[in-house]
Structure formats: structure tokens, C-alpha cells
Amino acid sequence: MTTALFHPDVDTRPWGRLREQQLADVAPLLARLRGADAWREKLAGAPAGAAHENDLLEIPFTTKADLRGAQAETTAEQPLGTLQVADTVDLRQITSSSGTTGTPVFFGLTEYDLERWRRLIGNAYRTAGVHPGTRVAHTTGMAIVAGGLPYADGIREAGGALAWIGGQTVPRMAVGMQRTHADVLVATASFSAHFAKRCEEELNMPATALGVHTVIAGGEPGVGVPHIRQGILDAWGATRVSEFMGLGDVLPAMWAECEQGDGMHFTASPDVLVELIDPATGAHVPWEPGATGEAVYTTLTREASPVLRFRSRDQMQVQTVDCACGRTSPTVRCVGRTDDMLIFKAMNVYPSAIREVVLAAASAHLTGTMRIRKDTADQVRFDDPIPLEVELRSGTARDAAQRALDEAAEQVRQQLRVRVSIEPQQPGVIPVSDYKNALTYVAG
Ligand SMILES: [Zn+2]
């Protein structure tokens, strides 16, 4: 039961064949978009369809700035601005991006979109470990965001018993989990760690007493990092962590980790076409183990607010192309955000990579919460060592941790060729959000 595929026909279809079918679906999408004023001009130089993968390169990208611009002016007749392709009378739901990186963008769903989202998000949850018999604690407090109502629909579709405990205090959530015998926890990676800590502090009860066996953790890069995974398993006494990812702008759940635990499968086929590109050149990156690129998404069937070649800024690394679970899509890890890339002297580095190396060297003394301090929001370059604040485990003295932290800085220098200046902080100094934690912040 636990490993039953949700949609065997799609899940096991050879990846190449699936992509041929998806490429065939590009032409009808382009024709539909050309019927909308806002798209006609943008698509003036684009081909009629995509017979081959390379034809996609002739189709313009959509960026987050494009989506925001499309909603600079809206009306009651066109509440989603020029993003909206369906008539307002056909809209059944409006969701929004989380707004963690700026003003939120609103998206629409028609009846058909709702049905497809439920199926596809259901597939992601089934892949991640939700099936009939599981009691699923859903911790998001906001219904309108991608992780709110759309996730709730998907959890039920996958067969789980949804216990939507979010939006309450941690003690009340913990009681809710106890009373419903929740065995699956759905949370962002940061919140799952925060929740476990608060259980201990406020209820004097370890989170391990709650009986969770699977933690479905997403929303931010890092769940693939061994020390962070182990930290989540230990905090909850769980046997499985499933990394989980999607984008409110495209589909809230598109990647989910199966029971093999070697990266996330693409679970949004056939409705969403994903490309992997080199963020600097735009060239395609092949789906081969070890390859890294930015994920770019096209919604082939979305009626209300489709997106074309949307630049996610999520940097993915391919893990496997022949997972033992039987699913034929490649598996990936999210290794960072292309927006987050920093430059120390001439070396490019992701904050998530720094975190991984530091934790590998000093996890005995650290909680895993850390952040890089920038002088300005758009600072990318560092000529002096990058200031990195790290949170000590409670009861750890600064002096006791110093040797390990020195070693961590040395490992960062050797492995990543950048210098960091590590500043240990007592627990609680670095704020932890109940949604997503940024790995960088601006001083002052
Ligand atoms: Zn698998």
C-alpha cells in the first residue's frame, strides 16, 4: 500500500516518451495564448509549436518580474491583470505566492484547473508517503498560499486523513496531533525543527512522543543536506523525511521524494513541462546524474493563468534517472536559489552550500539555523570573509564550540574556495519563521 503508484500510466512512462507528448502539447498552448492581447506581442517571434526540445529555446521566458508587472494594474473584470487568460466568471479560486521575496502575485484556478491541481498535488503527496490510513498534520496557517488550501486538497486526494492544525499556537497544534494520532507531518523544513524545539520547551514533551513516522518537508533548499535530514529524523523520531517542492506561480507541488530517499521525482507530468537550463546562457542542461541547472516550467493545461517557460531561479541537481521505486522521472535535489548566489573574490557560492559544509564539520555544536549578513539587499560580492551567524545548540558554550567552528571555516575555504567569518550566537538570537527562513539578511 505505501508504495502504490498514484498514476501508474504516467509515473512509469519512459521520460523521453512523456516529453514527446508534452512537446506536442506546446502548440495548442501557444495558439491559446496568442488569443490573449498581452501574449500576442510577446510571442510575435516565437514558433507555432515545439517539434523538438531545442524549439523550446525560441520561446521567450517568463520571469517573476513579468508576473508582477502583469498585475500592476487590475480591474474587477480582470482581477488577475494580464496574467488572466480565462473569463472571470470561470474563476473558482484565487491563490497567491507566499511573497517571501516581495509583493505577492495572485493566480487563478478554473474548475478544470482545480481538478488538475488536486490530481497532481495528490500524486506528489502519494510519492512523499501519504496514502489511505495515514493521519496527516498540515501546519500551514494561511489558506490562500500555495501551501494552504491547494495542499489540503492534495493530501485528501492522495488518500490521507487531513488534520489541518495550522494557524494555532504550537502547543495547540501538538495537542491536535496527539488527539488525531497524526503519523505524517507536513511542514517547511525550518518549521519542523522549530516545532520540535517548542514542544520540548513549552510542553516539556519531546516531539518524538507524538508518533510521527514521516516528515514531508519543503519550501526551502536544504532538506537534501544529510545533517539537516538527520536533524529532522532525530527531532521527531521519524523513519522517513520526504523532500517536497513546488511553486505557487506554477503548481504548488511538482517534486516529491519517494521511499528510496534519493532526491525528488517530478510529479507534475503530464500537465507541466520542466526544462533544466544553464542560468547564465539559457542552454539546456541534460537530465544526467550530477548535472545542475535552473528549473524552467511551462503549464501546458492551465486555463486561468498559464505561465510559459517560467524562470524558477531554483537550482536543481540531478541525482538518479533510474530510481528503484519504478517511477521513470529523474530525481533531483534543490541546491539553492540562483538569486542567492554570492561571489567571494572570483568564486561563486550558494549560501546552502556553505551551510552544508559548516554543518558537516560542526553539527555537534550547532542547531542548523544560520544566516549570512549582507550590507545591502542586492549585495552579491564580498571582498572580506562572508559574515555567517550560526546558532549554538542550547547549553553549548562558545569556547567549547570554537575549535569545531574554526575547522568549519577551514573546510569552507578548502571545499568551496571562499572565506567565511563564523559568529556563534546563543539560541533564539537568529529569528526563525514559521514559514520559510532566508539564508541571508541585511544588517541594521
Ligand atoms: Zn523513486
Side-chain angles (χ1 to χ4, degrees), residues 131-215:
H131 53 85
T134 51
R135 288 84 59 197
V136 186
H138 181 34
T139 58
T140 308
M142 293 176 287
I144 193 164
V145 298
L149 187 54
Y151 274 17
D153 286 343
I155 290 166
R156 288 180 300 193
E157 182 74 11
L162 169 72
W164 196 342
I165 57 168
Q168 313 183 83
T169 61
V170 165
R172 283 191 67 93
M173 283 199 245
V175 169
M177 288 178 67
Q178 247 174 341
R179 295 283 300 276
T180 58
H181 296 268
D183 55 355
V184 177
L185 175 74
V186 173
T188 61
S190 325
F191 187 66
S192 73
H194 172 70
F195 192 154
K197 210 168 99 196
R198 295 280 298 279
C199 270
E200 191 90 53
E201 288 168 4
E202 292 190 29
L203 298 174
N204 210 10
M205 172 184 78
T208 52
L210 287 172
V212 166
H213 63 62
T214 298
V215 178

Side-chain angles (χ1 to χ4, degrees), residues 324-367:
C325 74
R327 292 177 184 85
T328 41
S329 75
T331 66
V332 303
R333 292 264 184 236
C334 180
V335 294
R337 303 261 314 154
T338 57
D339 291 347
D340 290 345
M341 197 186 73
L342 304 175
I343 303 169
F344 175 75
K345 301 206 165 153
M347 289 305 298
N348 295 348
V349 67
Y350 287 103
S352 50
I354 294 177
R355 175 171 64 181
E356 181 164 1
V357 174
V358 168
L359 279 178
S363 65
H365 303 286
L366 301 177
T367 63

Side-chain angles (χ1 to χ4, degrees), residues 97-323:
S97 60
S98 65
T100 44
T101 54
T103 323
V105 177
F106 292 88
F107 305 94
L109 296 162
T110 63
E111 196 71 49
Y112 178 77
D113 293 335
L114 268 178
E115 164 62 21
R116 293 310 301 163
W117 271 33
R118 196 163 58 234
R119 292 296 293 166
L120 297 167
I121 300 171
N123 190 6
Y125 275 109
R126 176 64 61 79
T127 305
V130 173
H131 53 85
T134 51
R135 288 84 59 197
V136 186
H138 181 34
T139 58
T140 308
M142 293 176 287
I144 193 164
V145 298
L149 187 54
Y151 274 17
D153 286 343
I155 290 166
R156 288 180 300 193
E157 182 74 11
L162 169 72
W164 196 342
I165 57 168
Q168 313 183 83
T169 61
V170 165
R172 283 191 67 93
M173 283 199 245
V175 169
M177 288 178 67
Q178 247 174 341
R179 295 283 300 276
T180 58
H181 296 268
D183 55 355
V184 177
L185 175 74
V186 173
T188 61
S190 325
F191 187 66
S192 73
H194 172 70
F195 192 154
K197 210 168 99 196
R198 295 280 298 279
C199 270
E200 191 90 53
E201 288 168 4
E202 292 190 29
L203 298 174
N204 210 10
M205 172 184 78
T208 52
L210 287 172
V212 166
H213 63 62
T214 298
V215 178
I216 300 178
E220 43 201 336
V223 184
V225 177
H227 286 84
I228 292 178
R229 292 175 83 79
Q230 193 59 48
I232 296 172
L233 290 172
D234 293 347
W236 288 91
T239 52
R240 175 173 172 186
V241 176
S242 300
E243 190 178 7
F244 198 81
M245 256 190 87
L247 278 178
D249 320 68
V250 183
L251 175 73
M254 293 189 280
W255 300 95
E257 189 163 11
C258 71
E259 66 278 6
Q260 300 294 323
D262 194 7
M264 298 178 285
H265 285 285
F266 188 66
T267 51
S269 295
D271 297 52
V272 179
L273 173 70
V274 59
E275 301 166 67
L276 209 55
I277 65 160
D278 178 327
T281 65
H284 279 140
V285 172
W287 296 94
E288 289 166 5
T292 300
E294 178 184 344
V296 170
Y297 303 100
T298 296
T299 56
L300 296 168
T301 61
R302 185 83 172 273
E303 288 182 342
S305 45
V307 292
L308 200 56
R309 303 199 75 213
F310 180 73
R311 296 285 300 259
S312 69
R313 303 286 173 192
D314 287 321
Q315 192 74 3
M316 304 293 207
Q317 183 172 49
V318 179
Q319 304 294 302
T320 66
V321 290
D322 52 0
C323 185

Side-chain angles (χ1 to χ4, degrees), residues 339-343 372-384 386-387 440-443:
D339 291 347
D340 290 345
M341 197 186 73
L342 304 175
I343 303 169
I372 285 165
R373 189 171 62 242
K374 295 180 173 187
D375 292 327
T376 58
D378 56 2
Q379 181 181 10
V380 174
R381 295 186 171 280
F382 289 81
D383 292 320
D384 296 321
I386 299 170
T440 60
Y441 85 107
V442 181

